[in-house]
Amino acid sequence: MRTMIYGPQASGKTRNRDALARHYGHAITIDGVYRHHRSRKFRSDDGQVHTEIPNDALLLTNMDRRQCVSFLAKHEVTNATIVSITEALAALEEQDA
C-alpha cells in the first residue's frame, strides 16, 4: 500500500518525512512527485531509481488532492491512500500524545 501526502511548499512534508514514513509503515520515500512527471522514473531518497512507484512507497507532493488522484490514475496506481499534510501531522501528534 502506498501513501501520497500532499500539501503546499514549506508545509513540513520533507522536514517530517522520516517520521511520516515510520508512521505509515513505508521503507521507501519519493519526494518531489509532480503532476507533469513525464518520465516513468522515480528517484527515492536512498538514490535508487524505480521505473514504477514501489508498493511500499511514501510519496510527497505539492499537488492538490484532485491532481493526486489524476496522477495515480495516470501511473496506474490503484492501492494508494491520499492524505493531506495537515491530517498527516495531526496523526503524528496523536501518536506522540
Side-chain angles (χ1 to χ4, degrees):
M1 176 69 119
R2 302 160 183 103
T3 304
M4 182 174 238
I5 298 179
Y6 69 94
Q9 187 174 357
S11 60
K13 297 179 304 291
T14 300
R15 179 181 42 226
N16 294 289
R17 70 178 169 220
D18 293 337
L20 292 166
R22 279 191 305 277
H23 177 77
Y24 289 100
H26 296 293
I28 298 169
T29 302
I30 299 175
D31 197 352
V33 176
Y34 53 96
R35 66 181 175 172
H36 298 299
H37 212 113
R38 296 190 203 298
S39 83
R40 289 288 235 172
K41 294 183 180 174
F42 302 92
R43 185 176 303 277
S44 55
D45 283 355
D46 62 5
Q48 291 187 350
V49 176
H50 306 272
T51 55
E52 294 181 357
I53 299 171
N55 283 327
D56 61 345
L58 172 67
L59 308 168
L60 305 176
T61 184
N62 293 343
M63 294 185 280
D64 63 29
R65 185 176 196 84
R66 182 186 55 78
Q67 292 167 329
C68 291
V69 170
S70 177
F71 174 88
L72 293 171
K74 174 184 170 186
H75 290 279
E76 300 174 356
V77 175
T78 56
N79 60 340
T81 301
I82 302 171
V83 181
S84 73
I85 186 61
T86 304
E87 295 169 307
L89 292 176
L92 288 180
E93 285 181 20
E94 263 183 44
Q95 173 185 316
D96 292 340

